[in-house]
Amino acid sequence: MAFIVGLTGGIASGKSTVSKLLEKRGFTIVDADIAARKVVEPGESAYSEIVEAFGKEILLKDGTLDRDKLGSIVFQNEEERQKLNGIVHPAVRKKMKEWQEEAIKAGKQTVVLDIPLLYESKLTHLVEKVIVVYVNEETQLKRLMERNEFTEDEAKSRISSQMPLREKLELADAVLDNNGTIEETEKQLDQLIEKWKLKP
Ligand SMILES: CC(C)(COP(=O)(O)OP(=O)(O)OC[C@H]1O[C@@H](n2cnc3c(N)ncnc32)[C@H](O)[C@@H]1O)[C@@H](O)C(=O)NCCC(=O)NCCS
Ligand SMILES: Nc1ncnc2c1ncn2[C@@H]1O[C@H](COP(=O)(O)OP(=O)(O)OP(=O)(O)O)[C@@H](O)[C@H]1O
């Protein structure tokens, strides 16, 4: 039976960076953010539900979601965000289950579920161990602002829409401290792969 590992953290804490390092080592990643983009494509059921709930003004000229516009709505307003989550999350869970089953059928010994909201969405029952990618608040804010070219307010509104990252530290089975260089994170990751005897 495959070993299912949860990978989480906070926005811009380095989950995708760690996922790429795991992929380089042959591990299969099932990425919630990728699933969340897939299930809102035109023609998918979540797409029409989102248009119905938020109106056509959250669409671009080509009919796809205006992610910036929808983001600015939902990260300023908890109720709007819960409305979007209620539409997207069930479809994301279904898509991730499909991808996980495909990986298991292909004989993978480990499957890593990269889920930003693993704790917020109470999904720890889906995994056997949880890795939290940790950065301090200052580093998180700086990297998020730099990556997305957000103002401080835009970045803070996204960060505050999640459980505080330091609280996730207490819940983790393993923590990767990503405040340093990527090489330093990579070293911690290789030690963890060894400790947990993870095989791709
Ligand atoms: C609001 C949307 C359109 C903004 O798109 P955008 O391209 O700007 O961001 P992206 O999807 O790449 O997410 C970036 C990061 O934002 C954070 N985030 C995204 N959605 C949420 C949310 N509903 N609540 C808290 N944090 C979130 C996560 O850390 C995620 O890794 C998009 O994030 C979305 O559809 N969110 C709802 C689905 C969701 O909750 N996805 C997160 C994991 S399942
Ligand atoms: N150790 C590091 N040193 C410097 N920059 C880093 C480090 N780790 C990640 N970054 C950068 O910080 C930003 C956020 O990293 P990443 O995208 O991996 O975070 P994430 O947790 O996947 O974010 P999200 O929640 O949005 O998916 C990226 O621009 C990435 O290149």
Side-chain angles (χ1 to χ4, degrees):
M1 197 51 186
F3 190 71
I4 312 298
V5 177
L7 177 67
T8 193
I11 186 167
S13 68
K15 295 179 301 305
S16 310
T17 300
V18 169
S19 285
K20 287 187 196 94
L21 295 173
L22 283 161
E23 277 176 335
K24 231 169 65 180
R25 288 154 176 79
F27 288 96
T28 302
I29 311 294
V30 174
D31 186 320
D33 282 342
I34 295 173
R37 285 171 186 270
K38 183 104 191 74
V39 299
V40 299
E41 286 173 355
E44 297 274 343
S45 59
Y47 174 88
S48 36
E49 285 180 58
I50 290 174
V51 176
E52 199 174 312
F54 291 90
K56 288 198 173 354
E57 56 271 21
I58 50 94
L59 296 180
L60 295 171
K61 284 198 179 53
D62 67 358
T64 59
L65 277 195
D66 182 340
R67 303 181 70 82
D68 289 344
K69 193 153 187 193
L70 193 49
S72 61
I73 294 169
V74 300
F75 288 114
Q76 306 293 338
N77 182 316
E78 165 80 30
E79 207 179 307
E80 294 297 289
R81 189 166 64 250
Q82 292 311 341
K83 189 162 68 171
L84 180 64
N85 291 349
I87 295 169
V88 180
H89 287 183
V92 167
R93 286 197 289 273
K94 188 162 170 280
K95 182 59 75 183
M96 290 185 73
K97 195 165 179 318
E98 266 170 45
W99 289 344
Q100 175 177 319
E101 279 161 10
E102 278 166 24
I104 292 169
K105 223 179 276 161
K108 295 294 174 185
Q109 299 179 68
T110 304
V111 180
V112 179
L113 307 185
D114 178 342
I115 308 178
L117 304 179
L118 181 84
Y119 290 121
E120 293 88 337
S121 302
K122 300 181 176 38
L123 296 175
T124 49
H125 63 281
L126 296 178
V127 303
E128 288 159 83
K129 293 264 189 198
V130 179
I131 301 171
V132 166
V133 183
Y134 174 73
V135 286
N136 59 47
E137 288 177 14
E138 188 192 342
T139 304
Q140 183 180 25
L141 184 66
K142 175 173 159 293
R143 289 182 186 170
L144 178 55
M145 287 175 71
E146 273 169 16
R147 184 190 68 181
N148 290 69
E149 293 171 6
F150 283 152
T151 63
E152 188 168 330
D153 283 351
E154 283 169 332
K156 283 185 171 172
S157 69
R158 279 165 170 76
I159 292 169
S160 58
S161 72
Q162 299 180 343
M163 179 192 289
L165 188 39
R166 66 187 171 290
E167 285 180 24
K168 297 184 181 181
L169 283 181
E170 318 298 318
L171 302 168
D173 294 300
V175 175
L176 298 178
D177 182 334
N178 191 35
N179 285 294
T181 63
I182 293 181
E183 292 69 26
E184 287 164 342
T185 300
E186 194 162 14
K187 214 178 288 163
Q188 296 170 66
L189 179 63
D190 285 331
Q191 284 164 352
L192 183 60
I193 290 169
E194 177 55 36
K195 183 178 169 200
W196 284 0
K197 303 257 173 296
L198 297 179
K199 300 268 181 300

